[in-house]
mmCIF file of all heavy atoms in Angstrom:
data_model
loop_
_atom_site.group_PDB
_atom_site.id
_atom_site.type_symbol
_atom_site.label_atom_id
_atom_site.label_comp_id
_atom_site.label_asym_id
_atom_site.label_seq_id
_atom_site.Cartn_x
_atom_site.Cartn_y
_atom_site.Cartn_z
ATOM 1 N N ARG A 171 19.909 -7.401 -2.595
ATOM 2 C CA ARG A 171 20.056 -6.826 -1.248
ATOM 3 C C ARG A 171 19.139 -7.529 -0.256
ATOM 4 O O ARG A 171 19.546 -7.834 0.857
ATOM 5 C CB ARG A 171 19.738 -5.330 -1.265
ATOM 6 C CG ARG A 171 20.845 -4.486 -1.827
ATOM 7 C CD ARG A 171 20.407 -3.015 -1.830
ATOM 8 N NE ARG A 171 21.483 -2.185 -2.250
ATOM 9 C CZ ARG A 171 22.191 -1.393 -1.435
ATOM 10 N NH1 ARG A 171 21.881 -1.292 -0.180
ATOM 11 N NH2 ARG A 171 23.180 -0.687 -1.912
ATOM 12 N N VAL A 172 17.905 -7.768 -0.659
ATOM 13 C CA VAL A 172 16.956 -8.436 0.231
ATOM 14 C C VAL A 172 17.420 -9.868 0.501
ATOM 15 O O VAL A 172 17.450 -10.318 1.654
ATOM 16 C CB VAL A 172 15.525 -8.400 -0.354
ATOM 17 C CG1 VAL A 172 14.586 -9.293 0.429
ATOM 18 C CG2 VAL A 172 15.011 -6.969 -0.380
ATOM 19 N N LYS A 173 17.807 -10.571 -0.545
ATOM 20 C CA LYS A 173 18.266 -11.955 -0.396
ATOM 21 C C LYS A 173 19.467 -12.045 0.548
ATOM 22 O O LYS A 173 19.544 -12.947 1.383
ATOM 23 C CB LYS A 173 18.636 -12.524 -1.764
ATOM 24 C CG LYS A 173 19.151 -13.942 -1.719
ATOM 25 C CD LYS A 173 19.533 -14.423 -3.104
ATOM 26 C CE LYS A 173 20.224 -15.758 -2.984
ATOM 27 N NZ LYS A 173 21.398 -15.865 -3.812
ATOM 28 N N ASP A 174 20.392 -11.073 0.426
ATOM 29 C CA ASP A 174 21.615 -11.098 1.232
ATOM 30 C C ASP A 174 21.451 -10.409 2.585
ATOM 31 O O ASP A 174 22.424 -10.302 3.344
ATOM 32 C CB ASP A 174 22.760 -10.431 0.464
ATOM 33 C CG ASP A 174 23.157 -11.218 -0.786
ATOM 34 O OD1 ASP A 174 22.772 -12.410 -0.896
ATOM 35 O OD2 ASP A 174 23.845 -10.645 -1.653
ATOM 36 N N GLY A 175 20.249 -9.886 2.871
ATOM 37 C CA GLY A 175 20.017 -9.213 4.150
ATOM 38 C C GLY A 175 20.708 -7.869 4.265
ATOM 39 O O GLY A 175 20.966 -7.396 5.383
ATOM 40 N N GLN A 176 21.013 -7.248 3.146
ATOM 41 C CA GLN A 176 21.680 -5.944 3.163
ATOM 42 C C GLN A 176 20.658 -4.832 3.388
ATOM 43 O O GLN A 176 19.488 -4.960 2.979
ATOM 44 C CB GLN A 176 22.405 -5.692 1.838
ATOM 45 C CG GLN A 176 23.518 -6.670 1.551
ATOM 46 C CD GLN A 176 24.128 -6.433 0.168
ATOM 47 O OE1 GLN A 176 23.530 -5.808 -0.697
ATOM 48 N NE2 GLN A 176 25.324 -6.949 -0.030
ATOM 49 N N PRO A 177 21.077 -3.734 3.991
ATOM 50 C CA PRO A 177 20.147 -2.611 4.179
ATOM 51 C C PRO A 177 19.783 -1.979 2.834
ATOM 52 O O PRO A 177 20.571 -2.020 1.884
ATOM 53 C CB PRO A 177 20.936 -1.637 5.061
ATOM 54 C CG PRO A 177 22.368 -1.986 4.852
ATOM 55 C CD PRO A 177 22.411 -3.459 4.529
ATOM 56 N N LEU A 178 18.590 -1.426 2.784
ATOM 57 C CA LEU A 178 18.112 -0.767 1.568
ATOM 58 C C LEU A 178 18.378 0.733 1.650
ATOM 59 O O LEU A 178 18.267 1.333 2.717
ATOM 60 C CB LEU A 178 16.618 -1.019 1.376
ATOM 61 C CG LEU A 178 16.233 -2.476 1.176
ATOM 62 C CD1 LEU A 178 14.713 -2.621 1.177
ATOM 63 C CD2 LEU A 178 16.823 -3.033 -0.106
ATOM 64 N N ASN A 179 18.726 1.314 0.516
ATOM 65 C CA ASN A 179 18.895 2.759 0.447
ATOM 66 C C ASN A 179 17.532 3.429 0.510
ATOM 67 O O ASN A 179 16.581 2.948 -0.112
ATOM 68 C CB ASN A 179 19.576 3.172 -0.871
ATOM 69 C CG ASN A 179 20.968 2.619 -1.000
ATOM 70 O OD1 ASN A 179 21.713 2.562 -0.030
ATOM 71 N ND2 ASN A 179 21.321 2.183 -2.197
ATOM 72 N N PRO A 180 17.433 4.560 1.205
ATOM 73 C CA PRO A 180 16.154 5.287 1.192
ATOM 74 C C PRO A 180 15.937 5.937 -0.182
ATOM 75 O O PRO A 180 16.892 6.238 -0.902
ATOM 76 C CB PRO A 180 16.326 6.343 2.283
ATOM 77 C CG PRO A 180 17.801 6.526 2.408
ATOM 78 C CD PRO A 180 18.433 5.204 2.046
ATOM 79 N N PHE A 181 14.686 6.138 -0.524
ATOM 80 C CA PHE A 181 14.349 6.776 -1.794
ATOM 81 C C PHE A 181 14.622 8.266 -1.704
ATOM 82 O O PHE A 181 14.259 8.926 -0.737
ATOM 83 C CB PHE A 181 12.878 6.528 -2.129
ATOM 84 C CG PHE A 181 12.440 7.216 -3.390
ATOM 85 C CD1 PHE A 181 12.914 6.790 -4.623
ATOM 86 C CD2 PHE A 181 11.583 8.292 -3.344
ATOM 87 C CE1 PHE A 181 12.529 7.419 -5.793
ATOM 88 C CE2 PHE A 181 11.182 8.927 -4.502
ATOM 89 C CZ PHE A 181 11.659 8.485 -5.724
ATOM 90 N N ASP A 182 15.255 8.816 -2.721
ATOM 91 C CA ASP A 182 15.527 10.251 -2.812
ATOM 92 C C ASP A 182 14.531 10.842 -3.804
ATOM 93 O O ASP A 182 14.664 10.654 -5.014
ATOM 94 C CB ASP A 182 16.962 10.473 -3.283
ATOM 95 C CG ASP A 182 17.330 11.930 -3.474
ATOM 96 O OD1 ASP A 182 16.497 12.821 -3.171
ATOM 97 O OD2 ASP A 182 18.449 12.200 -3.943
ATOM 98 N N SER A 183 13.527 11.558 -3.305
ATOM 99 C CA SER A 183 12.457 12.078 -4.170
ATOM 100 C C SER A 183 12.949 13.095 -5.191
ATOM 101 O O SER A 183 12.265 13.350 -6.175
ATOM 102 C CB SER A 183 11.336 12.682 -3.322
ATOM 103 O OG SER A 183 11.831 13.746 -2.549
ATOM 104 N N SER A 184 14.153 13.636 -5.005
ATOM 105 C CA SER A 184 14.667 14.586 -5.999
ATOM 106 C C SER A 184 14.924 13.903 -7.340
ATOM 107 O O SER A 184 15.034 14.570 -8.363
ATOM 108 C CB SER A 184 15.938 15.273 -5.488
ATOM 109 O OG SER A 184 17.012 14.353 -5.438
ATOM 110 N N LEU A 185 14.983 12.556 -7.343
ATOM 111 C CA LEU A 185 15.128 11.821 -8.602
ATOM 112 C C LEU A 185 13.963 12.084 -9.553
ATOM 113 O O LEU A 185 14.105 11.950 -10.765
ATOM 114 C CB LEU A 185 15.193 10.318 -8.334
ATOM 115 C CG LEU A 185 16.450 9.770 -7.705
ATOM 116 C CD1 LEU A 185 16.239 8.315 -7.290
ATOM 117 C CD2 LEU A 185 17.608 9.866 -8.681
ATOM 118 N N LEU A 186 12.813 12.441 -8.996
ATOM 119 C CA LEU A 186 11.610 12.640 -9.800
ATOM 120 C C LEU A 186 11.410 14.088 -10.224
ATOM 121 O O LEU A 186 10.439 14.391 -10.902
ATOM 122 C CB LEU A 186 10.373 12.156 -9.037
ATOM 123 C CG LEU A 186 10.408 10.703 -8.600
ATOM 124 C CD1 LEU A 186 9.148 10.375 -7.808
ATOM 125 C CD2 LEU A 186 10.557 9.774 -9.781
ATOM 126 N N GLY A 187 12.281 14.965 -9.808
ATOM 127 C CA GLY A 187 12.096 16.391 -10.092
ATOM 128 C C GLY A 187 12.719 16.802 -11.394
ATOM 129 O O GLY A 187 13.546 16.094 -11.955
ATOM 130 N N PRO A 188 12.341 17.916 -11.913
ATOM 131 C CA PRO A 188 11.290 18.773 -11.361
ATOM 132 C C PRO A 188 9.908 18.204 -11.710
ATOM 133 O O PRO A 188 9.742 17.508 -12.701
ATOM 134 C CB PRO A 188 11.494 20.112 -12.064
ATOM 135 C CG PRO A 188 12.096 19.748 -13.374
ATOM 136 C CD PRO A 188 12.949 18.514 -13.113
ATOM 137 N N ILE A 189 8.941 18.494 -10.849
ATOM 138 C CA ILE A 189 7.573 18.043 -11.047
ATOM 139 C C ILE A 189 6.866 19.010 -12.002
ATOM 140 O O ILE A 189 6.989 20.218 -11.878
ATOM 141 C CB ILE A 189 6.809 17.974 -9.702
ATOM 142 C CG1 ILE A 189 7.516 17.013 -8.744
ATOM 143 C CG2 ILE A 189 5.357 17.579 -9.907
ATOM 144 C CD1 ILE A 189 7.531 15.569 -9.196
ATOM 145 N N ALA A 190 6.126 18.479 -12.926
ATOM 146 C CA ALA A 190 5.423 19.300 -13.930
ATOM 147 C C ALA A 190 4.023 19.628 -13.431
ATOM 148 O O ALA A 190 3.039 19.117 -13.937
ATOM 149 C CB ALA A 190 5.384 18.575 -15.265
ATOM 150 N N ASP A 191 3.942 20.443 -12.411
ATOM 151 C CA ASP A 191 2.643 20.869 -11.897
ATOM 152 C C ASP A 191 2.033 21.925 -12.811
ATOM 153 O O ASP A 191 2.748 22.703 -13.447
ATOM 154 C CB ASP A 191 2.782 21.472 -10.493
ATOM 155 C CG ASP A 191 3.151 20.427 -9.453
ATOM 156 O OD1 ASP A 191 2.788 19.255 -9.635
ATOM 157 O OD2 ASP A 191 3.794 20.808 -8.461
ATOM 158 N N ILE A 192 0.722 21.959 -12.852
ATOM 159 C CA ILE A 192 0.017 23.001 -13.594
ATOM 160 C C ILE A 192 -0.031 24.243 -12.709
ATOM 161 O O ILE A 192 -0.461 24.179 -11.559
ATOM 162 C CB ILE A 192 -1.404 22.559 -13.977
ATOM 163 C CG1 ILE A 192 -1.326 21.367 -14.918
ATOM 164 C CG2 ILE A 192 -2.182 23.712 -14.611
ATOM 165 C CD1 ILE A 192 -2.668 20.765 -15.257
ATOM 166 N N LYS A 193 0.428 25.333 -13.262
ATOM 167 C CA LYS A 193 0.439 26.601 -12.518
ATOM 168 C C LYS A 193 -0.898 27.317 -12.699
ATOM 169 O O LYS A 193 -1.585 27.121 -13.699
ATOM 170 C CB LYS A 193 1.578 27.486 -13.023
ATOM 171 C CG LYS A 193 2.957 26.868 -12.839
ATOM 172 C CD LYS A 193 3.989 27.698 -13.594
ATOM 173 C CE LYS A 193 5.276 26.948 -13.832
ATOM 174 N NZ LYS A 193 5.174 25.818 -14.720
ATOM 175 N N ASP A 194 -1.275 28.149 -11.723
ATOM 176 C CA ASP A 194 -2.527 28.901 -11.831
ATOM 177 C C ASP A 194 -2.577 29.710 -13.116
ATOM 178 O O ASP A 194 -3.621 29.828 -13.730
ATOM 179 C CB ASP A 194 -2.671 29.840 -10.615
ATOM 180 C CG ASP A 194 -2.990 29.071 -9.345
ATOM 181 O OD1 ASP A 194 -3.487 27.933 -9.439
ATOM 182 O OD2 ASP A 194 -2.728 29.612 -8.262
ATOM 183 N N SER A 195 -1.431 30.246 -13.542
ATOM 184 C CA SER A 195 -1.398 31.066 -14.764
ATOM 185 C C SER A 195 -1.678 30.248 -16.019
ATOM 186 O O SER A 195 -1.984 30.810 -17.058
ATOM 187 C CB SER A 195 -0.028 31.755 -14.885
ATOM 188 O OG SER A 195 1.003 30.774 -15.025
ATOM 189 N N GLU A 196 -1.575 28.905 -15.929
ATOM 190 C CA GLU A 196 -1.823 28.035 -17.084
ATOM 191 C C GLU A 196 -3.265 27.578 -17.190
ATOM 192 O O GLU A 196 -3.657 26.971 -18.174
ATOM 193 C CB GLU A 196 -0.907 26.813 -16.999
ATOM 194 C CG GLU A 196 0.565 27.174 -17.081
ATOM 195 C CD GLU A 196 1.472 25.996 -16.810
ATOM 196 O OE1 GLU A 196 1.123 25.127 -15.976
ATOM 197 O OE2 GLU A 196 2.542 25.956 -17.413
#
Side-chain angles (χ1 to χ4, degrees):
R171 283 179 175 254
V172 170
K173 179 182 172 224
D174 294 344
Q176 297 176 341
L178 297 173
N179 297 321
F181 177 69
D182 177 4
S183 61
S184 70
L185 288 170
L186 303 178
I189 301 295
D191 291 331
I192 297 174
K193 299 170 198 66
D194 288 339
S195 63
E196 297 172 325

